Amino acid sequence: MPRLTTFTSRVAATVVPFLAFSLAPPSHAADPIRIGAVVSATGAASFLGDPEQKTLNQYVDKINAAGGILGRQVVLTVYDDGSDANTANAMAKRLILQDKVDLILGASTTGSTMAMAPLSSANKVPTVSLAAATVIVDPVKPYVFKVPHSDTMAAEKVLEDMKQHGITRVALLSDTGGFGKSGRNETIKAAKRLGLTIVEDQSYGERDADMTPQLTKARAANPQAVFVFGTGQAPAIIAKNFHQLGLSVPLYMSHGQASAEFIRIAGAAAEGVRMPSPALLIAEQLSTNDPQRQVSLEYKLAYETKYKQDVSTFGGYAYDGLMMAADAIKRAGSTDKAKVRDALEQTKNFVGVSGVYTMSPTDHMGLNSSAFRMVEIRGGRFVAAR
């Protein structure tokens, strides 16, 4: 039975009617499992949403080719929010009320996820976010889960690395979107806990094309390192501005830049940048007894073979979200939303490309700091940081 994918895009802030690329399953077949997704395939966050969309399409095909879930084919409906939270809200409403999905994956960004979460909660539709901010799952929302590492974990991992290298004075740049705002707050709190000083605190817009003024102020504060907390393409521009100004202190990024796309955009300016990352980016470098090695290598090979582009940690989040959802449906034995929600919350030792997940009633992310690896860009590629 073929997979049905529906896909919409945003043009000039207007949602266009969705296009169906294959026919719905015949009525005499077993009812399909309907999974909806909202990703930022276009717009400022396409950096995230494009590999997520590709991963979901690829692996729903694989699931259906292997017989589906519970012997039922999966119908995947993917909508593009155009990196806009209001559009994400509209798409979530369509998935719930019109498409009657059993579960939602997404959105790509914190802002879009938070715009969707009230709808998921009110309609009791299990939702697995592909965005990172702590606010998505803290406080816990019964029907909302997420797979990316939190901004709290990222801030702590970066600042701990700085401290190990004798760095105590940090300049912070964060974007004004939901991810950047949350990351800024978590970094400030983590700095206090770890005894580091934020000597300059600057913000920038996600679509800004030049951050030289913010970096000039940061340089004047005489930091020992600069930490950029943001997603999209702006941090790569910051890396270029950083080198244009001749700054010689270490430059750190958040996990929002753990992708070969950052290296492509930043070019030579990416050299030496450090950041926390899932194991996926250094899969070949993992020890043979690392539980994530095999699943990471298999996903990396499958994605890069099909799409002829480097694997992305953001696509990895989509892989983990989809596979975790499939596992929960299997354990629930049905698509009953309350049972699937309970199964997601009871996830134990689920090995993904982003970490080993163990959820609980008080933890709807399920990762600890061991899921993050510090990486550094050397010779145009990610390597384990020293």
Side-chain angles (χ1 to χ4, degrees), residues 171-186:
L172 174 64
L173 277 70
S174 53
D175 72 41
T176 54
F179 179 70
K181 286 180 179 178
S182 183
R184 172 187 176 274
N185 292 338
E186 295 305 316

Side-chain angles (χ1 to χ4, degrees), residues 32-97:
I33 293 172
R34 299 185 182 279
I35 294 179
V38 177
V39 299
S40 298
T42 60
S46 60
F47 195 78
L48 314 176
D50 177 68
E52 291 167 354
Q53 176 201 340
K54 288 174 177 173
T55 297
L56 293 176
N57 287 336
Q58 179 179 14
Y59 277 88
V60 165
D61 281 343
K62 285 178 175 288
I63 288 170
N64 284 337
I69 304 172
L70 302 177
R72 297 159 60 185
Q73 293 284 282
V74 176
V75 169
L76 174 67
T77 304
V78 181
Y79 290 132
D80 174 20
D81 66 12
S83 306
D84 179 79
N86 290 329
T87 304
N89 176 276
M91 294 297 92
K93 188 175 297 184
R94 178 179 287 185
L95 286 171
I96 294 168
L97 301 180

Side-chain angles (χ1 to χ4, degrees), residues 278-325:
L280 178 61
L281 288 190
I282 53 171
E284 295 90 346
Q285 302 169 49
L286 300 176
S287 65
T288 55
N289 61 356
D290 190 306
Q292 288 186 261
R293 178 181 170 85
Q294 191 61 33
V295 66
S296 296
L297 287 174
E298 288 176 359
Y299 169 65
K300 183 176 188 293
L301 176 62
Y303 183 92
E304 292 182 349
T305 299
K306 182 175 179 62
Y307 293 113
K308 311 302 181 188
Q309 61 183 218
D310 290 323
V311 76
S312 160
T313 58
F314 311 119
Y317 296 143
Y319 172 87
D320 287 345
L322 175 62
M323 293 306 182
M324 192 182 300

Side-chain angles (χ1 to χ4, degrees), residues 158-159 161-173 215 218-219 222-228 238-239 242-243 246-253 262 269-275 374-376 378 385-386:
V158 166
L159 296 181
D161 187 78
M162 289 181 180
K163 193 169 183 178
Q164 290 171 7
H165 287 82
I167 295 168
T168 59
R169 293 171 52 82
V170 183
L172 174 64
L173 277 70
L215 285 169
R219 181 175 60 181
N222 193 30
Q224 294 171 290
V226 174
F227 182 22
V228 180
I238 291 174
F242 182 92
H243 280 270
L247 285 162
S248 58
V249 299
L251 177 60
Y252 286 79
M253 296 285 166
F262 171 78
E271 192 74 5
V273 172
R274 296 169 75 93
M275 67 185 73
M374 282 302 299
V375 299
E376 185 173 340
R378 290 291 177 196
R386 296 185 295 274

Side-chain angles (χ1 to χ4, degrees), residues 160-217:
E160 285 169 357
D161 187 78
M162 289 181 180
K163 193 169 183 178
Q164 290 171 7
H165 287 82
I167 295 168
T168 59
R169 293 171 52 82
V170 183
L172 174 64
L173 277 70
S174 53
D175 72 41
T176 54
F179 179 70
K181 286 180 179 178
S182 183
R184 172 187 176 274
N185 292 338
E186 295 305 316
T187 300
I188 290 171
K189 289 189 286 187
K192 290 180 180 177
R193 288 195 301 272
L194 295 170
L196 280 72
T197 302
I198 305 297
V199 296
E200 188 61 49
D201 179 12
Q202 291 287 317
S203 64
Y204 61 90
E206 294 173 289
R207 300 174 188 270
D208 288 357
D210 181 22
M211 274 61 72
T212 301
Q214 292 94 325
L215 285 169
T216 300
K217 290 180 180 179

